[in-house]
């Protein structure tokens, strides 16, 4: 323990430039980087998960929450968006949580949502 105290005393005498040079040398020697822990310490309350980049969602499901008052218009839009027959589209429109489209791109999902909402349905993208 006495040896560690000596090392601490010696490090305390270093100038800021000498300490920065020491950090560089240690990073190269040990193959580590002190930048990430310092950056995390600078952000109070930040977690390691917050530092990881979040993947943007690329596939969406278009889900009907409520067909609304204009159920016939919603059924027509469902038939335009899918290859469902009249009976199947009617059943889908009447089913809360029914998936009109599954695994579609963002543009297709937002377009379908817009068209269904214009027809009177309450829709969400999942």
């Amino acid at each position: 323990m006495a040896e560690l105290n000596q090392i601490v005393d010696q490090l305390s005498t270093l100038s800021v430039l000498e300490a920065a040079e020491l950090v560089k040398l240690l990073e190269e020697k040990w193959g580590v980087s002190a930048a990430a822990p310092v950056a995390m310490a600078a952000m109070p309350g930040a977690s390691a998960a917050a530092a990881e980049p979040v993947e943007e969602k690329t596939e969406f499901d278009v889900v009907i929450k409520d067909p609304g008052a204009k159920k016939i218009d919603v059924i027509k839009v469902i038939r335009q968006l899918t290859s469902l027959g009249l009976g199947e589209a009617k059943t889908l429109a009447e089913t809360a949580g029914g998936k009109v489209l599954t695994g579609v791109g963002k543009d297709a999902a937002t377009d379908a949502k817009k068209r269904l909402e214009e027809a009177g349905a309450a829709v969400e993208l999942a």
Side-chain angles (χ1 to χ4, degrees):
M1 190 65 151
E3 293 174 8
L4 291 178
N5 288 333
Q6 287 177 334
I7 293 172
V8 171
D9 290 338
Q10 289 175 344
L11 291 176
S12 298
T13 63
L14 295 177
S15 69
V16 174
L17 292 175
E18 291 171 329
E21 183 64 27
L22 176 62
V23 169
K24 281 185 190 178
L25 292 171
L26 292 175
E27 286 176 339
E28 289 173 10
K29 174 117 178 140
W30 294 337
V32 296
S33 174
V38 171
M40 292 303 292
M43 297 183 293
S47 67
E52 295 176 9
V54 177
E55 284 188 33
E56 186 175 334
K57 191 171 179 178
T58 58
E59 291 187 351
F60 297 87
D61 295 340
V62 180
V63 180
I64 291 186
K65 289 298 180 188
D66 180 29
K70 301 179 185 178
K71 196 182 309 182
I72 293 173
D73 292 340
V74 173
I75 293 169
K76 288 179 183 178
V77 173
I78 291 173
R79 292 195 64 204
Q80 292 170 359
L81 294 172
T82 65
S83 61
L84 296 177
L86 181 61
E88 295 164 322
K90 179 181 181 290
T91 302
L92 181 60
E94 293 171 343
T95 305
K99 293 181 181 179
V100 177
L101 298 173
T102 305
V104 295
K106 185 176 184 177
D107 293 337
T110 53
D111 179 56
K113 179 181 179 189
K114 178 183 170 199
R115 290 172 62 185
L116 286 163
E117 287 176 342
E118 287 173 353
V123 181
E124 80 171 6
L125 300 181

